[in-house]
Amino acid sequence: KEDAVPVITDKKTEENLKIAARELVETTNCVGFPTETVYGLAGSALNDESVQSIYTAKNRPSDNPLIVHISSIDQLKRKILPKDYEIPKIYEKLVDKFWPGPLTILLPIHEDSPVSKLVTAGQNTFAVRMPAHPVARALITISDTPLAAPSANASTRPSPTLAEHVFHDLHGRIPYILDGGACDVGVESTVIDGLVSPPMLLRPGGVSVEEIKTTGGKEWENVVLAKKTAGKMEAVRTPGMKYRHYSPTAKVVLFINCNNGKRAVKEYLDKNEIDSAHTKIALLRSRSFGGIKDIDENIDIERNLGSTGADISRNLFKLLREVDEMGVDLILVEGIDESNEGLAVMNRLSKAALETVNGADANGHN
Ligand code: TXA
Ligand code: MG
């Protein structure tokens, strides 16, 4: 199935895909494109200048490596891997089950690898995934080029889940954005490293740890979760983890373990002497915080993240951006438990938040 070229029946879409593919092959510019997780910013992974243009457009620190996107295992073998090299057995079940899809694996960088050194940023591995979105797959197939692509946000901003978000952050900096509508998953891919023992989860994402443990085979039952944060000076296997991330302009405050949302919010506002008449406040609630009237009359904007993990993942970045655009000063967000989709959601939220209110610290009050 992974080798099938997606069928694009719409003439205009086909034309636009060809324009974007030509740009990637004939120039060193990068283009915005949809994937099922978040929008990406694509350039040839095999060309230094193309990759450099990605870092420049995003203003991304160049020691944070990029993911290589392929449209088939055949293409990965043909364009990147040494002759006769087999993908390590440890990935077999996971690749079978989750490709195409939101799973990224690390492979060793071989001598004479055609992958640009700017993609790997000094690591001896490269990250690779096969996206599921038909537009992404068509773009990679038509250009027949492995595409390096980080999320298409300006560095430090929430990842884009709509073409408008990419336009907002990068217009004037890139020639094209392919609009494929809203991203279905809404958070980035899960990054795993099966080259170390025990294997590691470097970034939680669209495939849950629970799914990896149950389908990956025996070795994956002991998968180790990488530390949430790393000091700036530390050598880390996932360099991305040390940077400020996913941040709106407004201050984000994350509420965890608060059974009584109304009281937790009120106590927070009182304790910090927040003059709500002069502070525009948004609340993103999910499962347990009540409606705006129940929470606090001082909250100006309220949005519901959703009740299922899939909904909350899909809405998270979009709603952070939406309330930020409305010019709020403060975004209060209700956290969720870290099972299934919750782990990736809380990973992104804890990086976006400047402050966390933990109800469990408040003498069990909240
Ligand atoms: O869903 C996704 O993965 C999206 C879409 C566009 O595919 N892409 C994405 O890329 O999120 P980016 O660049 O925002 O995040 C890539 C993550 C970073 O945390 C980076 O540090 C890690 O993958 N990474 C990439 N190459 C690595 C390597 N060789 N070793 C360890 N971590 C790596
Ligand atoms: Mg990113």
Side-chain angles (χ1 to χ4, degrees), residues 53-271:
S53 76
I54 297 172
Y55 284 104
T56 305
K58 275 193 67 133
N59 200 14
R60 179 180 173 112
S62 60
D63 63 344
N64 190 5
L66 307 177
I67 295 171
V68 177
H69 296 68
I70 44 114
S71 62
S72 67
I73 290 177
D74 167 68
Q75 184 188 54
L76 173 63
K77 291 188 167 164
R78 199 158 41 79
K79 294 277 183 175
I80 296 181
L81 299 177
K83 224 177 168 8
D84 302 326
Y85 173 83
E86 292 298 331
I87 296 173
K89 265 253 174 277
I90 186 165
Y91 292 126
E92 194 171 84
K93 292 196 174 84
L94 292 171
V95 162
D96 266 2
K97 167 114 194 212
F98 296 111
W99 276 11
L103 181 74
T104 296
I105 65 171
L106 294 199
L107 292 177
I109 276 282
H110 291 89
E111 212 181 315
D112 300 326
S113 170
V115 175
S116 164
K117 293 223 171 3
L118 298 175
V119 167
T120 51
Q123 306 284 315
N124 55 9
T125 56
F126 72 105
V128 61
R129 90 171 182 102
M130 185 192 296
H133 196 293
V135 171
R137 294 166 58 67
L139 183 67
I140 306 166
T141 306
I142 296 171
S143 60
D144 197 21
T145 305
L147 299 177
S151 48
N153 51 293
S155 199
T156 80
R157 301 278 304 159
S159 298
T161 57
L162 289 171
E164 288 91 314
H165 297 158
V166 184
F167 184 80
H168 176 274
D169 282 16
L170 301 180
H171 69 93
R173 295 173 156 258
I174 56 175
Y176 299 112
I177 302 165
L178 290 170
D179 186 347
C183 298
D184 190 42
V185 178
V187 297
E188 299 86 342
S189 62
T190 301
V191 182
I192 54 170
D193 184 355
L195 305 176
V196 290
S197 180
M200 282 184 80
L201 178 98
L202 298 183
R203 178 179 71 179
V207 174
S208 71
V209 197
E210 287 87 345
E211 289 175 294
I212 287 173
K213 284 183 176 170
T214 51
T215 48
K218 211 165 166 30
E219 297 100 320
W220 291 99
E221 285 167 20
N222 302 316
V223 61
V224 172
L225 274 51
K227 270 195 294 177
K228 269 193 190 149
T229 49
K232 280 230 188 310
M233 302 309 289
E234 250 174 292
V236 278
R237 280 188 81 87
T238 286
M241 296 207 309
K242 69 187 175 188
Y243 295 106
R244 188 173 143 80
H245 237 112
Y246 313 116
S247 310
T249 308
K251 175 178 173 176
V252 175
V253 181
L254 175 61
F255 289 77
I256 57 171
N257 304 320
C258 296
N259 300 322
N260 186 334
K262 179 175 174 155
R263 182 155 61 198
V265 168
K266 186 161 178 7
E267 276 186 12
Y268 175 79
L269 297 177
D270 286 351
K271 190 173 148 213

Side-chain angles (χ1 to χ4, degrees), residues 15-25 31-32 139 143 176 178:
E15 258 170 51
N16 288 336
L17 275 163
K18 282 185 182 155
I19 292 170
R22 202 178 309 131
E23 191 76 9
L24 292 171
V25 174
V31 304
L139 183 67
S143 60
Y176 299 112
L178 290 170

